[in-house]
Amino acid sequence: MTVSLDTPVTGGGNESRLRLKRALARTGGFLGKMARNPLTAIGGGIIFLLLVVAAFAPWIAPYNPLVQDLNAALQSPNAQHWFGTDEFGRDIFSRLVYGARITLYIVLLVSVTVGPLGLLLGVSAGYFGGKVDMVLMRVTDIFISFPSLVLALAFVAALGPGLEHVVIAITLTAWPPIARLARAETLSLRQADFISAVRLQGASPVRVLWRHIVPLCLPSVIIRITMNMAGIILTAAGLGFLGLGAQPPEPEWGAMISSGRTYMMECWWVVTIPGLAILINSLAFNFLGDGLRDILDPRSE
């Protein structure tokens, strides 16, 4: 038996390297597209910085965020306390750094729960139609009819204050827009020729949804979730401001504004700096969402 020298010989190792090269090339192309949009690059950079700050908070924060020093209360920004101190003498910069962990915890946990929930309900309503669509969309309409913050307040009031209850409340108020979007995408795909061909081949509804419709709905859902993250931050901060989120002495940004509002006329930094942190990170998620829409949505090209 002879083997021609011109015959390509491929093994598992070569295939793995080729897949890795393709994945790296796609990732590089995706990051390159994001970098070409200045606002998207800025938003992505701020979010990356937020992740780094949250991950390395014990090494970045110069002080313990919970330790009180009444002798240093309400100091203006200086060399020892870059962002000043609050009414209990706690370093505001350190509390902001540790507060990034709480903010990311809420944002990420809400995102990974609200995305699958909204996607599942939306594609089910759009694909099956009829009574399934009517029931799911009427429930969605009920949730949408209430302002998200008011509805979140009602859920937290029923469940009680606490971070876990804030996550549940925001999840229950954030899924309807995603379900609406997934339903609209599914309605446009349900009668497509390739879906009809898959059905004729004997594919079950679950297979059609999981293998063909859900992957096509994912880009729009990811974009929507990314843009919703700014609203999640604001809702979490609002609940924290009202005392329904993280409980004292946890360094949650909304709670920091609430505790410092009594002193905001004389000590502007107590309220202004946490407010700027909320504003900047909310804008960053909006910028990133706009960039992802331009990249992932083929209709924007």
PDB file of all heavy atoms in Angstrom, residues 92-124:
ATOM      1  N   ILE A  92     -14.439  56.666  51.059  1.00  0.00           N
ATOM      2  CA  ILE A  92     -15.421  56.530  49.980  1.00  0.00           C
ATOM      3  C   ILE A  92     -14.827  55.780  48.792  1.00  0.00           C
ATOM      4  O   ILE A  92     -15.512  54.984  48.142  1.00  0.00           O
ATOM      5  CB  ILE A  92     -15.949  57.916  49.567  1.00  0.00           C
ATOM      6  CG1 ILE A  92     -16.794  58.500  50.708  1.00  0.00           C
ATOM      7  CG2 ILE A  92     -16.778  57.825  48.281  1.00  0.00           C
ATOM      8  CD1 ILE A  92     -17.348  59.870  50.423  1.00  0.00           C
ATOM      9  N   PHE A  93     -13.551  56.010  48.487  1.00  0.00           N
ATOM     10  CA  PHE A  93     -12.930  55.288  47.375  1.00  0.00           C
ATOM     11  C   PHE A  93     -12.960  53.778  47.626  1.00  0.00           C
ATOM     12  O   PHE A  93     -13.308  52.989  46.736  1.00  0.00           O
ATOM     13  CB  PHE A  93     -11.494  55.765  47.176  1.00  0.00           C
ATOM     14  CG  PHE A  93     -10.745  54.989  46.131  1.00  0.00           C
ATOM     15  CD1 PHE A  93     -11.000  55.174  44.783  1.00  0.00           C
ATOM     16  CD2 PHE A  93      -9.782  54.044  46.494  1.00  0.00           C
ATOM     17  CE1 PHE A  93     -10.318  54.449  43.820  1.00  0.00           C
ATOM     18  CE2 PHE A  93      -9.095  53.323  45.540  1.00  0.00           C
ATOM     19  CZ  PHE A  93      -9.362  53.520  44.201  1.00  0.00           C
ATOM     20  N   SER A  94     -12.625  53.362  48.825  1.00  0.00           N
ATOM     21  CA  SER A  94     -12.642  51.928  49.156  1.00  0.00           C
ATOM     22  C   SER A  94     -14.052  51.361  49.072  1.00  0.00           C
ATOM     23  O   SER A  94     -14.259  50.240  48.593  1.00  0.00           O
ATOM     24  CB  SER A  94     -12.073  51.708  50.558  1.00  0.00           C
ATOM     25  OG  SER A  94     -10.742  52.166  50.641  1.00  0.00           O
ATOM     26  N   ARG A  95     -15.023  52.144  49.506  1.00  0.00           N
ATOM     27  CA  ARG A  95     -16.403  51.671  49.441  1.00  0.00           C
ATOM     28  C   ARG A  95     -16.893  51.587  47.992  1.00  0.00           C
ATOM     29  O   ARG A  95     -17.666  50.686  47.637  1.00  0.00           O
ATOM     30  CB  ARG A  95     -17.310  52.582  50.271  1.00  0.00           C
ATOM     31  CG  ARG A  95     -17.064  52.420  51.764  1.00  0.00           C
ATOM     32  CD  ARG A  95     -17.916  53.347  52.603  1.00  0.00           C
ATOM     33  NE  ARG A  95     -19.354  53.066  52.495  1.00  0.00           N
ATOM     34  CZ  ARG A  95     -19.969  52.064  53.103  1.00  0.00           C
ATOM     35  NH1 ARG A  95     -19.270  51.219  53.864  1.00  0.00           N
ATOM     36  NH2 ARG A  95     -21.262  51.899  52.976  1.00  0.00           N
ATOM     37  N   LEU A  96     -16.444  52.506  47.155  1.00  0.00           N
ATOM     38  CA  LEU A  96     -16.787  52.425  45.730  1.00  0.00           C
ATOM     39  C   LEU A  96     -16.197  51.167  45.096  1.00  0.00           C
ATOM     40  O   LEU A  96     -16.850  50.490  44.299  1.00  0.00           O
ATOM     41  CB  LEU A  96     -16.275  53.655  44.988  1.00  0.00           C
ATOM     42  CG  LEU A  96     -17.098  54.936  45.038  1.00  0.00           C
ATOM     43  CD1 LEU A  96     -16.414  56.010  44.207  1.00  0.00           C
ATOM     44  CD2 LEU A  96     -18.511  54.710  44.533  1.00  0.00           C
ATOM     45  N   VAL A  97     -14.960  50.873  45.441  1.00  0.00           N
ATOM     46  CA  VAL A  97     -14.281  49.706  44.869  1.00  0.00           C
ATOM     47  C   VAL A  97     -15.016  48.425  45.253  1.00  0.00           C
ATOM     48  O   VAL A  97     -15.303  47.573  44.402  1.00  0.00           O
ATOM     49  CB  VAL A  97     -12.816  49.662  45.336  1.00  0.00           C
ATOM     50  CG1 VAL A  97     -12.183  48.329  44.983  1.00  0.00           C
ATOM     51  CG2 VAL A  97     -12.021  50.802  44.698  1.00  0.00           C
ATOM     52  N   TYR A  98     -15.342  48.274  46.516  1.00  0.00           N
ATOM     53  CA  TYR A  98     -16.071  47.076  46.946  1.00  0.00           C
ATOM     54  C   TYR A  98     -17.519  47.102  46.460  1.00  0.00           C
ATOM     55  O   TYR A  98     -18.128  46.048  46.239  1.00  0.00           O
ATOM     56  CB  TYR A  98     -16.021  46.944  48.470  1.00  0.00           C
ATOM     57  CG  TYR A  98     -14.773  46.277  48.972  1.00  0.00           C
ATOM     58  CD1 TYR A  98     -13.636  47.016  49.265  1.00  0.00           C
ATOM     59  CD2 TYR A  98     -14.714  44.897  49.147  1.00  0.00           C
ATOM     60  CE1 TYR A  98     -12.476  46.410  49.735  1.00  0.00           C
ATOM     61  CE2 TYR A  98     -13.567  44.282  49.616  1.00  0.00           C
ATOM     62  CZ  TYR A  98     -12.451  45.036  49.901  1.00  0.00           C
ATOM     63  OH  TYR A  98     -11.307  44.418  50.356  1.00  0.00           O
ATOM     64  N   GLY A  99     -18.077  48.294  46.289  1.00  0.00           N
ATOM     65  CA  GLY A  99     -19.434  48.396  45.755  1.00  0.00           C
ATOM     66  C   GLY A  99     -19.537  47.910  44.326  1.00  0.00           C
ATOM     67  O   GLY A  99     -20.614  47.493  43.881  1.00  0.00           O
ATOM     68  N   ALA A 100     -18.419  47.956  43.579  1.00  0.00           N
ATOM     69  CA  ALA A 100     -18.423  47.419  42.217  1.00  0.00           C
ATOM     70  C   ALA A 100     -18.760  45.930  42.217  1.00  0.00           C
ATOM     71  O   ALA A 100     -19.405  45.431  41.290  1.00  0.00           O
ATOM     72  CB  ALA A 100     -17.065  47.660  41.563  1.00  0.00           C
ATOM     73  N   ARG A 101     -18.345  45.213  43.242  1.00  0.00           N
ATOM     74  CA  ARG A 101     -18.667  43.784  43.338  1.00  0.00           C
ATOM     75  C   ARG A 101     -20.170  43.568  43.475  1.00  0.00           C
ATOM     76  O   ARG A 101     -20.751  42.684  42.837  1.00  0.00           O
ATOM     77  CB  ARG A 101     -17.949  43.163  44.533  1.00  0.00           C
ATOM     78  CG  ARG A 101     -16.453  43.002  44.348  1.00  0.00           C
ATOM     79  CD  ARG A 101     -15.843  42.274  45.531  1.00  0.00           C
ATOM     80  NE  ARG A 101     -14.506  41.776  45.208  1.00  0.00           N
ATOM     81  CZ  ARG A 101     -13.788  40.998  45.997  1.00  0.00           C
ATOM     82  NH1 ARG A 101     -14.275  40.628  47.177  1.00  0.00           N
ATOM     83  NH2 ARG A 101     -12.591  40.587  45.627  1.00  0.00           N
ATOM     84  N   ILE A 102     -20.804  44.385  44.306  1.00  0.00           N
ATOM     85  CA  ILE A 102     -22.249  44.243  44.504  1.00  0.00           C
ATOM     86  C   ILE A 102     -22.991  44.583  43.216  1.00  0.00           C
ATOM     87  O   ILE A 102     -23.931  43.874  42.818  1.00  0.00           O
ATOM     88  CB  ILE A 102     -22.708  45.148  45.667  1.00  0.00           C
ATOM     89  CG1 ILE A 102     -22.037  44.721  46.965  1.00  0.00           C
ATOM     90  CG2 ILE A 102     -24.222  45.132  45.800  1.00  0.00           C
ATOM     91  CD1 ILE A 102     -22.348  45.606  48.151  1.00  0.00           C
ATOM     92  N   THR A 103     -22.575  45.653  42.550  1.00  0.00           N
ATOM     93  CA  THR A 103     -23.228  46.049  41.305  1.00  0.00           C
ATOM     94  C   THR A 103     -23.099  44.959  40.247  1.00  0.00           C
ATOM     95  O   THR A 103     -24.079  44.596  39.584  1.00  0.00           O
ATOM     96  CB  THR A 103     -22.623  47.359  40.790  1.00  0.00           C
ATOM     97  OG1 THR A 103     -22.844  48.400  41.763  1.00  0.00           O
ATOM     98  CG2 THR A 103     -23.251  47.775  39.463  1.00  0.00           C
ATOM     99  N   LEU A 104     -21.895  44.424  40.067  1.00  0.00           N
ATOM    100  CA  LEU A 104     -21.692  43.370  39.074  1.00  0.00           C
ATOM    101  C   LEU A 104     -22.436  42.096  39.462  1.00  0.00           C
ATOM    102  O   LEU A 104     -22.950  41.384  38.590  1.00  0.00           O
ATOM    103  CB  LEU A 104     -20.203  43.071  38.917  1.00  0.00           C
ATOM    104  CG  LEU A 104     -19.409  44.062  38.077  1.00  0.00           C
ATOM    105  CD1 LEU A 104     -17.935  43.690  38.068  1.00  0.00           C
ATOM    106  CD2 LEU A 104     -19.934  44.113  36.647  1.00  0.00           C
ATOM    107  N   TYR A 105     -22.501  41.800  40.734  1.00  0.00           N
ATOM    108  CA  TYR A 105     -23.245  40.619  41.191  1.00  0.00           C
ATOM    109  C   TYR A 105     -24.706  40.720  40.764  1.00  0.00           C
ATOM    110  O   TYR A 105     -25.283  39.756  40.225  1.00  0.00           O
ATOM    111  CB  TYR A 105     -23.132  40.520  42.712  1.00  0.00           C
ATOM    112  CG  TYR A 105     -24.026  39.478  43.347  1.00  0.00           C
ATOM    113  CD1 TYR A 105     -23.667  38.141  43.353  1.00  0.00           C
ATOM    114  CD2 TYR A 105     -25.230  39.846  43.956  1.00  0.00           C
ATOM    115  CE1 TYR A 105     -24.476  37.184  43.939  1.00  0.00           C
ATOM    116  CE2 TYR A 105     -26.048  38.900  44.539  1.00  0.00           C
ATOM    117  CZ  TYR A 105     -25.673  37.572  44.532  1.00  0.00           C
ATOM    118  OH  TYR A 105     -26.487  36.647  45.108  1.00  0.00           O
ATOM    119  N   ILE A 106     -25.307  41.880  40.980  1.00  0.00           N
ATOM    120  CA  ILE A 106     -26.713  42.059  40.608  1.00  0.00           C
ATOM    121  C   ILE A 106     -26.880  42.016  39.093  1.00  0.00           C
ATOM    122  O   ILE A 106     -27.760  41.318  38.564  1.00  0.00           O
ATOM    123  CB  ILE A 106     -27.245  43.392  41.176  1.00  0.00           C
ATOM    124  CG1 ILE A 106     -27.242  43.361  42.706  1.00  0.00           C
ATOM    125  CG2 ILE A 106     -28.657  43.670  40.662  1.00  0.00           C
ATOM    126  CD1 ILE A 106     -27.597  44.686  43.352  1.00  0.00           C
ATOM    127  N   VAL A 107     -26.031  42.754  38.368  1.00  0.00           N
ATOM    128  CA  VAL A 107     -26.162  42.841  36.911  1.00  0.00           C
ATOM    129  C   VAL A 107     -25.981  41.473  36.261  1.00  0.00           C
ATOM    130  O   VAL A 107     -26.787  41.054  35.413  1.00  0.00           O
ATOM    131  CB  VAL A 107     -25.143  43.854  36.354  1.00  0.00           C
ATOM    132  CG1 VAL A 107     -25.064  43.752  34.838  1.00  0.00           C
ATOM    133  CG2 VAL A 107     -25.526  45.268  36.754  1.00  0.00           C
ATOM    134  N   LEU A 108     -24.935  40.757  36.642  1.00  0.00           N
ATOM    135  CA  LEU A 108     -24.653  39.468  36.006  1.00  0.00           C
ATOM    136  C   LEU A 108     -25.698  38.421  36.364  1.00  0.00           C
ATOM    137  O   LEU A 108     -26.138  37.651  35.496  1.00  0.00           O
ATOM    138  CB  LEU A 108     -23.256  38.990  36.401  1.00  0.00           C
ATOM    139  CG  LEU A 108     -22.094  39.856  35.906  1.00  0.00           C
ATOM    140  CD1 LEU A 108     -20.762  39.301  36.397  1.00  0.00           C
ATOM    141  CD2 LEU A 108     -22.093  39.947  34.391  1.00  0.00           C
ATOM    142  N   LEU A 109     -26.117  38.383  37.621  1.00  0.00           N
ATOM    143  CA  LEU A 109     -27.091  37.377  38.028  1.00  0.00           C
ATOM    144  C   LEU A 109     -28.443  37.626  37.374  1.00  0.00           C
ATOM    145  O   LEU A 109     -29.116  36.682  36.924  1.00  0.00           O
ATOM    146  CB  LEU A 109     -27.231  37.356  39.550  1.00  0.00           C
ATOM    147  CG  LEU A 109     -27.821  36.087  40.170  1.00  0.00           C
ATOM    148  CD1 LEU A 109     -27.034  34.859  39.732  1.00  0.00           C
ATOM    149  CD2 LEU A 109     -27.829  36.193  41.688  1.00  0.00           C
ATOM    150  N   VAL A 110     -28.853  38.898  37.291  1.00  0.00           N
ATOM    151  CA  VAL A 110     -30.111  39.213  36.616  1.00  0.00           C
ATOM    152  C   VAL A 110     -30.017  38.868  35.136  1.00  0.00           C
ATOM    153  O   VAL A 110     -30.950  38.301  34.550  1.00  0.00           O
ATOM    154  CB  VAL A 110     -30.467  40.703  36.804  1.00  0.00           C
ATOM    155  CG1 VAL A 110     -31.622  41.096  35.891  1.00  0.00           C
ATOM    156  CG2 VAL A 110     -30.837  40.983  38.253  1.00  0.00           C
ATOM    157  N   SER A 111     -28.887  39.176  34.509  1.00  0.00           N
ATOM    158  CA  SER A 111     -28.735  38.935  33.070  1.00  0.00           C
ATOM    159  C   SER A 111     -28.802  37.455  32.726  1.00  0.00           C
ATOM    160  O   SER A 111     -29.447  37.065  31.745  1.00  0.00           O
ATOM    161  CB  SER A 111     -27.415  39.538  32.578  1.00  0.00           C
ATOM    162  OG  SER A 111     -27.396  40.936  32.773  1.00  0.00           O
ATOM    163  N   VAL A 112     -28.129  36.616  33.532  1.00  0.00           N
ATOM    164  CA  VAL A 112     -28.102  35.181  33.198  1.00  0.00           C
ATOM    165  C   VAL A 112     -29.419  34.493  33.538  1.00  0.00           C
ATOM    166  O   VAL A 112     -29.663  33.370  33.069  1.00  0.00           O
ATOM    167  CB  VAL A 112     -26.944  34.463  33.927  1.00  0.00           C
ATOM    168  CG1 VAL A 112     -25.613  35.031  33.514  1.00  0.00           C
ATOM    169  CG2 VAL A 112     -27.122  34.518  35.441  1.00  0.00           C
ATOM    170  N   THR A 113     -30.286  35.139  34.311  1.00  0.00           N
ATOM    171  CA  THR A 113     -31.597  34.548  34.588  1.00  0.00           C
ATOM    172  C   THR A 113     -32.682  35.116  33.682  1.00  0.00           C
ATOM    173  O   THR A 113     -33.537  34.371  33.200  1.00  0.00           O
ATOM    174  CB  THR A 113     -31.991  34.780  36.054  1.00  0.00           C
ATOM    175  OG1 THR A 113     -31.873  36.176  36.375  1.00  0.00           O
ATOM    176  CG2 THR A 113     -31.093  33.991  36.989  1.00  0.00           C
ATOM    177  N   VAL A 114     -32.624  36.415  33.416  1.00  0.00           N
ATOM    178  CA  VAL A 114     -33.684  37.040  32.632  1.00  0.00           C
ATOM    179  C   VAL A 114     -33.564  36.699  31.150  1.00  0.00           C
ATOM    180  O   VAL A 114     -34.573  36.614  30.440  1.00  0.00           O
ATOM    181  CB  VAL A 114     -33.673  38.570  32.847  1.00  0.00           C
ATOM    182  CG1 VAL A 114     -32.580  39.247  32.033  1.00  0.00           C
ATOM    183  CG2 VAL A 114     -35.019  39.172  32.485  1.00  0.00           C
ATOM    184  N   GLY A 115     -32.339  36.462  30.661  1.00  0.00           N
ATOM    185  CA  GLY A 115     -32.160  36.140  29.250  1.00  0.00           C
ATOM    186  C   GLY A 115     -32.820  34.827  28.862  1.00  0.00           C
ATOM    187  O   GLY A 115     -33.686  34.794  27.974  1.00  0.00           O
ATOM    188  N   PRO A 116     -32.447  33.706  29.502  1.00  0.00           N
ATOM    189  CA  PRO A 116     -33.104  32.433  29.165  1.00  0.00           C
ATOM    190  C   PRO A 116     -34.612  32.443  29.404  1.00  0.00           C
ATOM    191  O   PRO A 116     -35.374  31.862  28.629  1.00  0.00           O
ATOM    192  CB  PRO A 116     -32.402  31.428  30.083  1.00  0.00           C
ATOM    193  CG  PRO A 116     -31.075  32.043  30.384  1.00  0.00           C
ATOM    194  CD  PRO A 116     -31.325  33.511  30.436  1.00  0.00           C
ATOM    195  N   LEU A 117     -35.059  33.117  30.482  1.00  0.00           N
ATOM    196  CA  LEU A 117     -36.492  33.154  30.777  1.00  0.00           C
ATOM    197  C   LEU A 117     -37.260  33.879  29.674  1.00  0.00           C
ATOM    198  O   LEU A 117     -38.252  33.362  29.142  1.00  0.00           O
ATOM    199  CB  LEU A 117     -36.721  33.834  32.127  1.00  0.00           C
ATOM    200  CG  LEU A 117     -38.184  34.042  32.540  1.00  0.00           C
ATOM    201  CD1 LEU A 117     -38.882  32.691  32.684  1.00  0.00           C
ATOM    202  CD2 LEU A 117     -38.266  34.830  33.843  1.00  0.00           C
ATOM    203  N   GLY A 118     -36.809  35.092  29.327  1.00  0.00           N
ATOM    204  CA  GLY A 118     -37.490  35.844  28.277  1.00  0.00           C
ATOM    205  C   GLY A 118     -37.405  35.158  26.924  1.00  0.00           C
ATOM    206  O   GLY A 118     -38.376  35.144  26.154  1.00  0.00           O
ATOM    207  N   LEU A 119     -36.238  34.570  26.618  1.00  0.00           N
ATOM    208  CA  LEU A 119     -36.062  33.886  25.337  1.00  0.00           C
ATOM    209  C   LEU A 119     -36.986  32.674  25.240  1.00  0.00           C
ATOM    210  O   LEU A 119     -37.639  32.450  24.205  1.00  0.00           O
ATOM    211  CB  LEU A 119     -34.609  33.467  25.179  1.00  0.00           C
ATOM    212  CG  LEU A 119     -34.218  32.776  23.877  1.00  0.00           C
ATOM    213  CD1 LEU A 119     -34.459  33.675  22.682  1.00  0.00           C
ATOM    214  CD2 LEU A 119     -32.759  32.334  23.925  1.00  0.00           C
ATOM    215  N   LEU A 120     -37.070  31.871  26.301  1.00  0.00           N
ATOM    216  CA  LEU A 120     -37.909  30.670  26.293  1.00  0.00           C
ATOM    217  C   LEU A 120     -39.386  31.035  26.098  1.00  0.00           C
ATOM    218  O   LEU A 120     -40.077  30.437  25.251  1.00  0.00           O
ATOM    219  CB  LEU A 120     -37.721  29.911  27.604  1.00  0.00           C
ATOM    220  CG  LEU A 120     -38.644  28.714  27.831  1.00  0.00           C
ATOM    221  CD1 LEU A 120     -38.379  27.636  26.793  1.00  0.00           C
ATOM    222  CD2 LEU A 120     -38.465  28.154  29.244  1.00  0.00           C
ATOM    223  N   LEU A 121     -39.864  32.007  26.855  1.00  0.00           N
ATOM    224  CA  LEU A 121     -41.272  32.381  26.742  1.00  0.00           C
ATOM    225  C   LEU A 121     -41.567  33.026  25.387  1.00  0.00           C
ATOM    226  O   LEU A 121     -42.616  32.768  24.788  1.00  0.00           O
ATOM    227  CB  LEU A 121     -41.644  33.339  27.876  1.00  0.00           C
ATOM    228  CG  LEU A 121     -41.557  32.762  29.295  1.00  0.00           C
ATOM    229  CD1 LEU A 121     -41.890  33.820  30.323  1.00  0.00           C
ATOM    230  CD2 LEU A 121     -42.480  31.565  29.448  1.00  0.00           C
ATOM    231  N   GLY A 122     -40.632  33.844  24.888  1.00  0.00           N
ATOM    232  CA  GLY A 122     -40.865  34.533  23.619  1.00  0.00           C
ATOM    233  C   GLY A 122     -40.907  33.589  22.430  1.00  0.00           C
ATOM    234  O   GLY A 122     -41.816  33.667  21.597  1.00  0.00           O
ATOM    235  N   VAL A 123     -39.938  32.684  22.330  1.00  0.00           N
ATOM    236  CA  VAL A 123     -39.913  31.768  21.179  1.00  0.00           C
ATOM    237  C   VAL A 123     -41.066  30.769  21.268  1.00  0.00           C
ATOM    238  O   VAL A 123     -41.614  30.353  20.228  1.00  0.00           O
ATOM    239  CB  VAL A 123     -38.551  31.048  21.071  1.00  0.00           C
ATOM    240  CG1 VAL A 123     -37.432  32.035  20.823  1.00  0.00           C
ATOM    241  CG2 VAL A 123     -38.268  30.186  22.292  1.00  0.00           C
ATOM    242  N   SER A 124     -41.457  30.380  22.471  1.00  0.00           N
ATOM    243  CA  SER A 124     -42.598  29.461  22.612  1.00  0.00           C
ATOM    244  C   SER A 124     -43.883  30.127  22.143  1.00  0.00           C
ATOM    245  O   SER A 124     -44.683  29.519  21.409  1.00  0.00           O
ATOM    246  CB  SER A 124     -42.739  29.011  24.072  1.00  0.00           C
ATOM    247  OG  SER A 124     -41.588  28.330  24.506  1.00  0.00           O
TER     248      SER A 124
END
